[in-house]
Amino acid sequence: MRLGLVGRKIGMTRIFTENGDSLPVTVIDVSNNRVTQIKKTEKDGYSAVQLSFGEKRSSRVNKASAGHFAKAGVEAGSISREFRLTKDEDLNHLENGMVIKNDIFSVGQKVDVSGITIGKGYAGVIKRHHFSSNRASHGNSKAHNKPGSIGMAQDPGRIFPGKRMSGHLGNVKRTTQNLEVIRVDTERSLLLIKGAIPGARNGNVIVRPSIKEKK
């Protein structure tokens, strides 16, 4: 359990290594991650720090949230997330209103990135579950992309829950693990992470140290 950051997915680009290799990277803006609450075991039962990211108009902030941000002495954020820590000693260097910068990550470090995937609406079984399409000829009539039979015989005479069928695709929380940090831009508060991450452009993401990184 280690401290992470909340950010915004800017998009993808590529950078070149000294050998001339092209690396696809995702650019994440992690600027102005401010501490809004510190939780300790004695009072709250566990150790954690709450971070706020982004901006929100004062007219959009309810009274409870406004009081919470005012107590911490920070401006209201568009998203707040909590990071669990192992013990209270990890919180000694933190205080309310403090800005956590991207230098908590280092080049070559492995991270886990969580985000909301791109919503694709209602999709069929071929796009949603990667089914194979039916025959394109030899008697096939208007059943090229159909799911096929879904039922069973008289016993059990029903469709089991969880049957893979057409439905809503995307717009769910997903985490991509063990991604490598390629560059840490402290001046512009950017993280360049190798590969793709979940979510659309300008979507909120959460970057944490990898839980499966080999020590």
Side-chain angles (χ1 to χ4, degrees):
M1 297 182 182
R2 297 170 61 185
L3 181 61
L5 291 175
V6 184
R8 178 175 61 90
K9 179 179 177 179
I10 296 179
M12 292 195 69
T13 183
R14 63 176 178 171
I15 60 176
F16 293 93
T17 64
E18 296 179 355
N19 299 329
D21 297 330
S22 174
L23 296 179
V25 295
T26 303
V27 183
I28 303 177
D29 175 20
V30 291
S31 60
N32 202 16
N33 269 264
R34 51 229 184 245
V35 179
T36 54
Q37 188 177 6
I38 296 176
K39 296 186 176 182
K40 294 189 176 182
T41 306
E42 182 179 356
K43 180 179 179 181
D44 303 288
Y46 63 98
S47 302
V49 56
Q50 184 187 92
L51 300 181
S52 182
F53 172 80
E55 300 177 354
K56 181 181 282 190
R57 288 182 295 177
S58 58
S59 60
R60 298 283 184 176
V61 182
N62 57 36
K63 291 184 178 180
S65 298
H68 181 69
F69 289 120
K71 183 179 180 180
V74 299
E75 61 177 338
S78 59
I79 177 175
S80 296
R81 286 294 181 269
E82 190 175 277
F83 296 91
R84 295 282 291 265
L85 300 179
T86 306
K87 50 186 180 300
D88 289 348
E89 287 73 12
D90 298 333
L91 301 169
N92 292 336
H93 67 287
L94 300 175
E95 58 183 13
N96 285 338
M98 180 180 178
V99 176
I100 308 298
K101 298 184 178 180
N102 61 353
D103 56 6
I104 65 172
F105 296 105
S106 58
V107 175
Q109 182 179 354
K110 296 298 182 65
V111 294
D112 298 338
V113 183
S114 303
I116 304 297
T117 60
I118 298 175
K120 299 180 181 295
Y122 191 91
V125 291
I126 293 177
K127 183 175 182 179
R128 190 183 186 200
H129 298 297
H130 310 294
F131 280 18
S132 297
S133 60
N134 295 313
R135 298 175 66 171
S137 60
H138 294 283
N140 191 346
S141 177
K142 299 181 180 179
H144 302 74
N145 294 333
K146 300 293 184 180
S149 175
I150 61 173
M152 297 186 184
Q154 186 172 358
D155 181 22
R158 65 189 181 94
I159 301 174
F160 287 114
K163 179 70 176 178
R164 293 186 297 172
M165 300 176 68
S166 59
H168 192 165
L169 176 61
N171 194 33
V172 292
K173 183 180 179 181
R174 288 290 181 265
T175 301
T176 304
Q177 296 181 321
N178 277 354
L179 297 176
E180 183 180 355
V181 178
I182 300 298
R183 186 175 297 173
V184 179
D185 191 336
T186 55
E187 294 183 0
R188 295 182 290 180
S189 298
L190 300 177
L191 287 176
L192 274 63
I193 298 177
K194 183 179 179 180
I197 65 173
R201 289 182 180 177
N202 297 322
N204 293 323
V205 296
I206 301 173
V207 185
R208 295 185 178 92
S210 177
I211 61 174
K212 293 183 179 180
E213 182 181 4
K214 295 181 179 180
K215 303 300 181 183

